Amino acid sequence: MLPLSSAPPAWPATDDLLARRTLRRIAWRLLPFLGLLYVVAYLDRINISFAALQMNQDLGLSAAAYGTGAGLFFLGYVLFEVPSNLILQRVGARLWIARIMVTWGLIAMAMALVRSETSFYLLRFLLGVAEAGFFPGIILYLTGWFPTRERARAVALFATATALAGLIGSPLSGALLELDGWWGWRGWHWLFVAEGLPAVLLGLVVLVKLPDRPDQARWLLPDERDWLNRTLQQERQAARDQTRHTLREALTDHRVWGLGLVYLCMVIGMYGIALWLPQMLRALTAADDFTLGLLNALPFLAAGVGMVVIGWHSDRRGERRWHVAGSLVLAAAGAGLAAATQTLPLALLAFSIAAIGVWGVMGPFWALATALLSGTAAAAGIALINALGNVGGFLGPYLMGWLKQTTASFSAGLAVVALILLAGCALVLMLRLPRQMAAPAADVHLPV
């Protein structure tokens, strides 16, 4: 076993103003655009939850069949995760992320052509294959732009796109369902086409605009580029003998596999709730589709705030493990409360608590994971962790669907999700990880 990584030294005080200026410029240039890409990706991933309000009846899909199809996305995603990230490392983020976006956008639009349970399963699987590598590719990409001590905040700000996708996409999806009957199309047909097209268009923008490395960023000043390259190189040098940096070392490190299992528990909670949330709320209210979309957005609003606050606090304290564990406990409490309530206001509160916890894990978790890896191991290890975790994207919706069909209630599924989240908390506390993976963050104001 190689020694555990220790906290990197803080950069010299003489570099403080330069560091602030550089990181602020990078954050404003990259994070809003990358976040927009993830909003579109995540929306195409979860809009099936709203389409199901009409589609399940049209196609005669049972709760178990819907849960299986919703989860099949993640099997395709997982199978192609590691090879996709290795290709990205070889050909560059710009070209590969553009390819991912164009292909997934076309397949997302093709979901409007679903006519049977079989075609539903096939297109959801292909959508996962097309999107494989996007999220871990962006995480890998950010390690080339942000020093370790700023990474949790950067990842959390990027990953708030998942919450924004729910916040923006919920009322949008509800409104698109209201187009039912236009030009002979059902509302769910409009939903898939209208929400898939932006991915194709943004993929073309990525091809033109996204720099692969800091030395290609013409918007960085020479002293900013020099500081960033020097800082990142010093971190890589310090980590060379302390972190896993070959493919074999990453794939045989028990900590990588352990973090993958922690992420599995988190993802079961995330998608077990998110892909069923409109149907769970529908069981509590007779509101129209647009109003239901507004109600569905509230937990995602809470998730976005929670992600930024938890990521910021993790960076300020230079601590990761307990922020991950505490967030998972909070998520479990919310899921447990949701299982025990049958009233809409209390259910919205419970789902909001669960969303704060399960989305709040993202920043500190990925800062912890990336600090363990460098070199080729970063591409393979990040992809492996994400692949293991996203098996939960299949298990969460499937378990919820199977238990709903078996018990005629969502309560059993939510209770199981709560127990799985607690198991993730116990696992991260059992792993032999450094107490601090980064020095406390400098007072650099990244955009919020």
Side-chain angles (χ1 to χ4, degrees), residues 1 47 58 89 113 125 141 181 201 220 235 261 272 276 279-281 286 290 314 337 339 401 427 431-432:
M1 164 96 41
N47 60 11
D58 288 355
Q89 188 189 41
L113 303 176
F125 178 81
Y141 180 70
L201 301 178
L220 278 179
E235 288 190 352
L261 293 176
W276 284 95
Q279 295 182 66
M280 289 191 285
L281 294 178
F290 180 69
S314 175
L337 179 60
L427 182 56
L431 286 174
R432 185 169 175 261

Side-chain angles (χ1 to χ4, degrees), residues 60-317:
L61 297 178
S62 66
Y66 166 74
T68 300
L72 275 173
F73 166 92
F74 295 94
L75 291 189
Y77 191 92
V78 165
L79 288 174
F80 288 85
E81 188 80 47
V82 173
S84 179
N85 228 33
L86 292 173
I87 293 172
L88 181 144
Q89 188 189 41
R90 180 177 295 272
V91 305
R94 180 180 59 86
L95 181 61
W96 196 243
I97 290 173
R99 192 285 304 163
I100 288 173
M101 296 192 65
V102 171
T103 52
W104 105 51
L106 292 173
I107 295 172
M109 295 171 69
M111 285 291 297
L113 303 176
V114 167
R115 292 295 181 269
S116 66
E117 187 175 309
T118 301
S119 59
F120 174 52
Y121 289 167
L122 176 63
L123 283 174
R124 282 293 292 179
F125 178 81
L126 291 177
L127 185 63
V129 172
E131 196 187 322
F134 176 77
F135 179 77
I138 296 293
I139 297 298
L140 178 63
Y141 180 70
L142 291 176
T143 64
W145 294 85
F146 289 95
T148 303
R149 65 183 61 85
E150 296 294 335
R151 207 166 286 160
R153 238 185 310 182
V155 170
L157 286 168
F158 163 67
T160 53
T162 61
L164 286 174
L167 180 62
I168 297 168
S170 294
L172 174 62
S173 296
L176 288 169
L177 289 180
E178 298 284 342
L179 297 179
D180 192 36
W182 279 33
W183 295 359
W185 282 13
R186 294 281 277 146
W188 60 274
H189 296 150
W190 286 109
L191 184 154
F192 285 130
V193 172
E195 293 182 355
L197 180 60
V200 178
L201 301 178
L202 283 170
L204 301 177
V205 175
V206 167
L207 199 57
V208 175
K209 293 293 186 181
L210 189 69
D212 281 313
R213 302 179 302 277
D215 57 10
Q216 296 176 349
R218 289 178 291 181
W219 37 264
L220 278 179
L221 299 177
D223 60 338
E224 294 170 343
R225 190 180 297 110
D226 290 344
W227 175 84
L228 180 62
N229 286 332
R230 184 174 70 252
T231 300
L232 293 175
Q233 183 58 38
Q234 288 172 350
E235 288 190 352
R236 294 185 190 110
Q237 184 68 32
R240 182 169 298 171
D241 297 325
Q242 297 176 326
T243 61
R244 304 292 185 180
H245 53 269
T246 70
L247 178 61
R248 181 175 180 274
E249 286 174 330
L251 298 181
T252 57
D253 189 339
H254 78 276
R255 295 172 298 178
V256 172
W257 288 89
L259 288 173
L261 293 176
V262 174
Y263 199 50
L264 169 71
C265 295
M266 188 276 283
V267 173
I268 287 175
M270 175 179 284
Y271 291 110
I273 293 173
L275 289 175
W276 284 95
L277 185 56
Q279 295 182 66
M280 289 191 285
L281 294 178
R282 170 63 80 207
L284 299 173
T285 178
D288 59 49
D289 290 333
F290 180 69
T291 303
L292 187 68
L294 295 175
L295 294 173
N296 196 82
L298 294 177
F300 289 98
L301 174 62
V305 174
M307 287 180 77
V308 173
V309 171
I310 292 170
W312 171 83
H313 191 263
S314 175
D315 275 341
R316 293 294 297 173
R317 297 295 298 269

